[in-house]
Each structure stands twice: as C-alpha cells, then as structure tokens.
C-alpha cells in the first residue's frame, strides 16, 4: 500500500511536512495542551450550557458575521466574544455571546488561538 503524501503541519507558520495533522514537534505541544485543557464538561459545556445554547440560537438564528456581509446563514455556534478563560461570570454573560456559523467561528478561533483550538504559544 502506498504511503500517505506529505503535507504541511497544521501549526500556523510551521514549515515542516508530515503525514499526520502536526509534525513531531507540534504533536507533542498538542498533547500537552489537550491534557491540561479538561473535557468539554469540565470547561462548562454541560447540560445547562446546551439548554442555554439552544435557547440563544432560537432567539438569534442567523450568523452575525454573515449578516455584516449581507448574507443570510443559519447560526450553529454560540461564541464567547471575549474568551472567558475560566471566568464563570464571563462564561454566562449573554452580552458576551454571539451567534455564528461554523465557518466564521473557525476563522475567529484560528485568528485568536493561532490554530483551531490550539492556544499554544
């Protein structure tokens, strides 16, 4: 069976090629990040959040960034405008929430974290 083709590492700015998502150096960083991150439930995304998220999306059904671009796209993600970084008050502050489509949420996350959920610096 032929081997997988080499592709760039997913870490933004990394010139290394790999057959996996990250090169060996950044794979280790990703593992350290994931270990310290905790589960979704430990980070606050529990049943209470899922219920609040659904209510918010019913009240705000369209992606705010798409609307800014004169497009109409259903929102599928409730985004924290300002990262809450463990601050439970900020996590639950609905003034800090915005409705986004997955594409705009992924773009925002990549810009803020330097990769999709990869906040390693």
């Amino acid at each position: 069976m032929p081997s997988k083709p080499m592709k760039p590492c997913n870490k933004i700015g990394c010139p290394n090629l790999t057959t996996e998502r990250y090169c060996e150096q950044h794979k280790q960083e990703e593992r350290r990040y994931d270990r310290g991150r905790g589960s979704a439930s430990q980070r606050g995304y529990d049943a209470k959040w899922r219920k609040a998220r659904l209510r918010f999306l019913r009240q705000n059904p369209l992606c705010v960034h798409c609307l800014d671009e004169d497009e109409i796209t259903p929102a599928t993600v409730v985004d924290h405008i300002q990262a809450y970084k463990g601050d439970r008050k900020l996590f639950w502050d609905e003034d800090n929430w915005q409705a986004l489509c997955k594409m705009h949420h992924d773009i925002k996350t990549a810009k803020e974290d330097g990769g999709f959920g990869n906040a390693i610096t």
Side-chain angles (χ1 to χ4, degrees):
M1 175 168 204
S3 61
K4 288 183 178 180
M6 300 291 274
K7 61 182 182 174
C9 174
N10 269 18
K11 176 71 174 180
I12 293 175
C14 178
N16 297 330
L17 295 176
T18 181
T19 57
E20 299 177 31
R21 184 171 182 193
Y22 294 102
C23 67
E24 286 303 314
Q25 174 190 349
H26 294 113
K27 192 185 319 180
Q28 296 301 321
E29 290 178 6
E30 182 71 11
R31 285 186 192 131
R32 278 195 307 274
Y33 172 75
D34 285 344
R35 275 196 301 268
R37 191 167 182 228
S39 69
S41 181
Q42 290 169 327
R43 295 189 321 269
Y45 298 104
D46 54 11
K48 181 180 174 185
W49 166 256
R50 289 189 296 274
K51 185 176 178 180
R53 174 192 169 277
L54 287 174
R55 179 187 46 75
F56 188 82
L57 289 174
R58 277 194 297 273
Q59 294 170 350
N60 303 275
L62 301 175
C63 173
V64 295
H65 289 323
C66 287
L67 288 173
D68 288 343
E69 298 168 359
D70 294 325
E71 304 233 352
I72 296 178
T73 308
T76 57
V77 178
V78 176
D79 175 61
H80 290 93
I81 299 166
Q82 178 185 346
Y84 63 93
K85 297 182 183 178
D87 180 342
R88 303 306 298 159
K89 186 175 179 185
L90 188 58
F91 181 91
W92 288 107
D93 180 0
E94 290 191 35
D95 290 334
N96 188 41
W97 296 0
Q98 63 182 343
L100 297 178
C101 64
K102 182 179 183 332
M103 180 189 76
H104 278 115
H105 184 261
D106 289 351
I107 290 168
K108 178 180 182 275
T109 300
K111 285 179 181 174
E112 290 178 355
D113 295 346
F116 289 85
N118 191 9
I120 301 167
T121 54

